[in-house]
Amino acid sequence: MSRYYQTTPIYYVNDAPHLGTAYTTVVADALARWRRIAGDDVFFLTGTDEHGQKIDRASAAAGLSPQEMADRTASRFVRAWSELGISNDDFIRTTEPRHHSAVQAFLSAVNDNGYIEKGSYEGLYCVSCEDYFTEGEAVGGNCPIHGKPLEWMSEENYFFKLSLFEQKLIDYYEANPEFVRPLTKRNEALGFIRSGLRDISITRKAVQWGVPVPWDPGHVFYVWYDALINYATAIGYGTDQERFGQWWPAVHHLIGKDIIRFHCVWWPAMCMAAGLEPPHRIVVHGWLLVGGEKMSKTKLNQIDPVELAADFGADAVRYHLLRDVTLGSDGDFSYEGMVGRYNADLANNFGNLASRVATVVDRKCGGVGPAPRPDSKLAQAATSLASASASAWADFAPQDALELAWRLIREANAELEATEPWKMEPGAAVDGILGDALEVLRLVAILVSPAMPTACAELWRRIGMRERLSDQRAPEALEWGAYTAGAAVEKGSALFPRRSS
RNA sequence: GGCGGCGUAGCUCAGUUGGUCAGAGCGCACGGCUCAUAAUCGUGUGGUCGUCGGUUCGAGUCCGACCGCCGCUACCA
């Protein structure tokens, strides 16, 4: 059994979850769910990033302590993921004691290895913002927020000697072509590394809301350095090295394209500096756009995933995100697209197939599911499509995995049209046809369950499967013929009621 | 400016190393069916594969130029 450790970024608690963060989390969840089916020992982590100046200020403005503010927002994430059926094994928060311990242990190791040195950070500083800006951000030498002149300031802090890892990173990338996916993002990260790496400051003195530097308590770690280490914390870094060793480096990070540098450059270098293997794989996804634009508070185009799930059902939202966004590319969300996909794929194809099969089984087979035929016309297509779908899941291509499952659904619908069992007298011929159709539903339920766990479990129950869907293991469970005949088939209400709008 | 990517049917997109590669789904049109959630099945519509050259027996598929769009070019998470 191999181990598979799936992570999402930890979400910053300055904002409630929106459809963009939900997209990331749903994709990670589906990937993790597939790996469980594939028989891997899976650990799936998500959580929240709670330190830093922004939280410090926002909480003060709201009349709360930073911790109160973090508690409040973190609970919204927990609830949202619950509503969306996210199967995370742990939820890490960077303000937890275990994380403070891990950060201090991790960076002490980096320090002991000689990769941290004291220096001074210099840059353009806005007194009103109490923050630094790059020259690119400055507008005519003025603060882009306040419009006031920026001052050249310097601050004593600690630097991570990132520059020493330039060649090591290049070597690692070249030795592991699949390290970052898709390829274009890998090239982007590698190009950045090749252009030359500078040391980076990793502590802040002006900010107090963070993890103190163990050897110099007047400083706290810069929030990004603290945040990345969550991936190590959750599997026992610094507290349970044996457990850590079981899961590291079998980690698969799913991230958005906006945080490539932190994950694809800083983080592997940090791991090397701490004496660890770099992460096994980083999968980069694009942005979920609305009307072609990025979701943002100011554009008022943010979509609440909890509301959307309340409207369409969590499974349908998950399906749409996984099916209509090519992992790695930007996707565009629209209400019309959501409805269109729902009706076409879920109500008309999938749900209706389940419905018509159940009805004919009821009329022609006394409501008892018959056995599929080993030599069914559908067997060959089912075997190859199921196999291809499984491969797509394993290859981080949910959109392909689902498309292939739907091809199987279409095959089954077409076969029913061709044979018209509803016109036949009860008997072996009808039994065979419907046994085949039920077998297709069984296979589809497995293949689609990472995307729609609740609906697939319900279908699984309705067709009379006795074992639990969650206990199915690919590839054995995807072999043709495992439908357990003789059980009552239940029609039930529509799995996905068709929508008019 | 530098590096990288993209531009294929109305829409969303597939198209390994050049030779059934001109495709899928949706949409639309026509026909069949009526078991099913007015669902389904079949047939068809539809593209000079961004433009112009080049290499080749043969190019969405390689090379060059050009047009249009986009990403990255570091310490905001």
Side-chain angles (χ1 to χ4, degrees):
Chain A
M1 176 189 292
S2 61
R3 293 186 187 264
Y4 182 91
Y5 175 23
Q6 175 73 56
T7 72
T8 73
I10 49 174
Y11 305 110
Y12 206 53
V13 292
N14 66 335
D15 196 8
H18 55 75
L19 197 59
T21 47
Y23 169 63
T24 307
T25 311
V26 163
V27 171
D29 183 62
L31 294 176
R33 284 178 183 272
W34 174 258
R35 292 294 176 158
R36 294 193 190 105
I37 290 171
D40 287 347
D41 197 5
V42 172
F43 186 70
F44 173 28
L45 176 73
T46 188
T48 44
D49 180 12
E50 309 187 348
H51 287 134
Q53 194 168 41
K54 279 193 179 177
I55 301 305
D56 200 8
R57 289 203 186 134
S59 63
L64 299 168
S65 73
Q67 189 65 58
E68 286 171 332
M69 169 123 182
D71 289 347
R72 189 173 292 191
T73 311
S75 70
R76 297 188 64 175
F77 278 90
V78 171
R79 196 177 73 236
W81 300 161
S82 171
E83 297 286 326
L84 284 168
I86 304 303
S87 63
N88 52 299
D89 297 297
D90 195 358
F91 188 98
I92 191 168
R93 302 181 54 190
T94 56
T95 51
E96 293 176 82
R98 61 170 171 163
H99 184 60
H100 282 233
S101 305
V103 169
Q104 294 191 336
F106 192 102
L107 287 157
S108 291
V110 175
N111 191 36
D112 292 346
N113 290 337
Y115 295 115
I116 289 177
E117 66 181 4
K118 205 166 193 174
S120 65
Y121 178 77
E122 298 190 340
L124 294 165
Y125 185 82
C126 172
V127 178
S128 299
C129 294
E130 297 179 44
D131 205 358
Y132 289 90
F133 291 90
T134 63
E135 295 189 18
E137 290 169 329
V139 181
N142 293 329
C143 169
I145 297 169
H146 296 88
K148 296 176 184 172
L150 294 168
E151 298 174 31
W152 191 258
M153 294 272 286
S154 70
E155 175 183 304
E156 178 188 81
N157 56 25
Y158 291 89
F159 279 73
F160 171 52
K161 294 159 98 168
L162 181 64
S163 58
L164 296 179
F165 293 89
E166 199 173 305
Q167 191 57 48
K168 289 176 186 169
L169 286 170
I170 291 170
D171 292 344
Y172 186 74
Y173 269 78
E174 291 183 339
N176 301 277
E178 301 264 286
F179 174 46
V180 174
R181 295 190 42 161
L183 196 58
T184 56
K185 303 305 183 193
R186 172 185 185 270
N187 292 341
E188 185 179 314
L190 191 50
F192 178 80
I193 295 165
R194 287 199 165 114
S195 72
L197 297 177
R198 299 204 288 265
D199 295 342
I200 48 180
S201 73
I202 59 166
T203 63
R204 294 292 128 98
K205 206 168 183 178
V207 184
Q208 290 307 308
W209 184 234
V211 181
V213 175
W215 60 84
D216 194 344
H219 297 70
V220 301
F221 286 111
Y222 172 49
V223 62
W224 256 110
Y225 258 64
D226 150 12
L228 287 164
I229 294 167
N230 92 84
Y231 303 128
T233 304
I235 52 172
Y237 187 88
T239 54
D240 186 345
Q241 285 304 122
E242 186 183 338
R243 178 165 174 250
F244 179 80
Q246 290 173 340
W247 291 101
W248 196 267
V251 62
H252 296 67
H253 298 305
L254 177 69
I255 64 166
K257 65 181 185 181
D258 50 331
I259 52 178
I260 285 177
R261 179 162 318 135
F262 303 105
H263 285 80
C264 302
V265 182
W266 294 12
W267 178 230
M270 284 168 66
C271 290
M272 290 174 178
L276 303 175
E277 287 287 308
H280 177 66
R281 173 144 315 168
I282 300 171
V283 177
V284 183
H285 72 246
W287 279 328
L288 189 63
L289 309 172
V290 173
E293 297 190 318
K294 197 180 178 196
M295 266 177 264
S296 72
K297 275 184 175 174
T298 50
K299 284 177 185 155
L300 298 173
N301 62 354
Q302 280 192 335
I303 292 170
D304 181 348
V306 175
E307 283 181 20
L308 198 64
D311 188 4
F312 287 87
D315 279 340
V317 173
R318 294 167 57 104
Y319 176 76
H320 185 225
L321 294 177
L322 290 162
R323 175 65 184 82
D324 280 324
V325 182
T326 297
L327 188 51
S329 305
D330 288 352
D332 203 9
F333 178 88
S334 72
Y335 192 80
E336 295 70 24
M338 173 84 227
V339 172
R341 186 57 81 177
Y342 179 93
N343 280 337
D345 286 9
L346 301 187
N348 297 352
N349 280 325
F350 186 26
N352 185 56
L353 175 63
S355 180
R356 67 196 306 205
V357 167
T359 297
V360 183
V361 167
D362 181 53
R363 294 190 192 172
K364 303 291 183 180
C365 310
V368 176
R373 297 168 294 190
D375 59 344
S376 166
K377 280 185 70 176
L378 285 170
Q380 195 173 357
T383 301
S384 66
L385 287 171
S387 169
S389 179
S391 297
W393 275 121
D395 197 39
F396 311 99
Q399 70 287 352
D400 292 339
L402 293 170
E403 161 63 20
L404 288 159
W406 255 257
R407 279 174 59 184
L408 181 50
I409 290 171
R410 283 194 290 273
E411 291 280 347
N413 269 323
E415 187 60 17
L416 286 178
E417 292 294 328
T419 52
E420 300 184 308
W422 46 87
K423 286 184 175 174
M424 303 166 72
E425 291 303 315
V430 175
D431 288 351
I433 293 165
L434 291 168
D436 294 346
L438 286 162
E439 173 65 353
V440 167
L441 288 174
R442 182 189 71 82
L443 292 168
V444 169
I446 294 170
L447 293 170
V448 175
S449 63
M452 300 197 288
T454 305
C456 288
E458 172 63 8
L459 174 62
W460 189 260
R461 188 190 66 75
R462 288 186 188 185
I463 63 175
M465 294 302 293
R466 300 182 188 87
E467 301 168 17
R468 292 162 55 92
L469 174 55
S470 58
D471 289 337
Q472 302 306 301
R473 292 291 170 266
E476 309 82 55
L478 296 178
E479 287 170 15
W480 179 265
Y483 176 68
T484 51
V489 172
E490 179 184 326
K491 182 163 189 331
S493 58
L495 231 35
F496 304 101
R498 191 178 164 79
R499 296 177 63 103
S500 55
S501 64

